[in-house]
Amino acid sequence: VTFFCVLDHILFRKMTEVSKYFSRSFWDGLLWIVTFLATVLVDVDLGLMIGILFSFLIVTLRSALPQVTILAR
């Protein structure tokens, strides 16, 4: 029972960090949530691999679809 209380406390403390990553960038927050949930729900090794692959996907999408701003005079 004590183990689960400590685990719940750690998970709750880590979930409060989500706002910090979302304030930096939407994509950083999304990456954090996907990696965290995959690590907790699946397995540590597989969850981190999912996080790495999702990170590569985000970098590929953001480089393929750049944001362009036209400056007026």
Side-chain angles (χ1 to χ4, degrees):
V1 173
T2 306
F3 173 74
F4 291 115
C5 292
V6 171
L7 184 62
D8 288 341
H9 179 69
I10 292 171
L11 290 177
F12 179 72
R13 241 180 40 199
K14 287 295 179 186
M15 287 303 291
T16 59
E17 294 180 5
V18 174
S19 62
K20 177 175 68 173
Y21 292 107
F22 269 112
S23 68
R24 289 182 189 162
S25 167
F26 169 77
W27 296 108
D28 287 343
L30 188 64
L31 174 64
W32 192 92
I33 288 176
V34 167
T35 306
F36 179 78
L37 289 177
T39 304
V40 169
L41 296 176
V42 179
D43 188 28
V44 174
D45 296 335
L46 189 59
L48 293 176
M49 188 58 101
I50 290 170
I52 291 170
L53 292 175
F54 192 68
S55 176
F56 285 143
L57 178 69
I58 288 173
V59 169
T60 304
L61 286 176
R62 291 185 74 184
S63 63
L65 304 170
Q67 185 177 14
V68 178
T69 304
I70 299 173
L71 300 176
R73 282 185 160 231

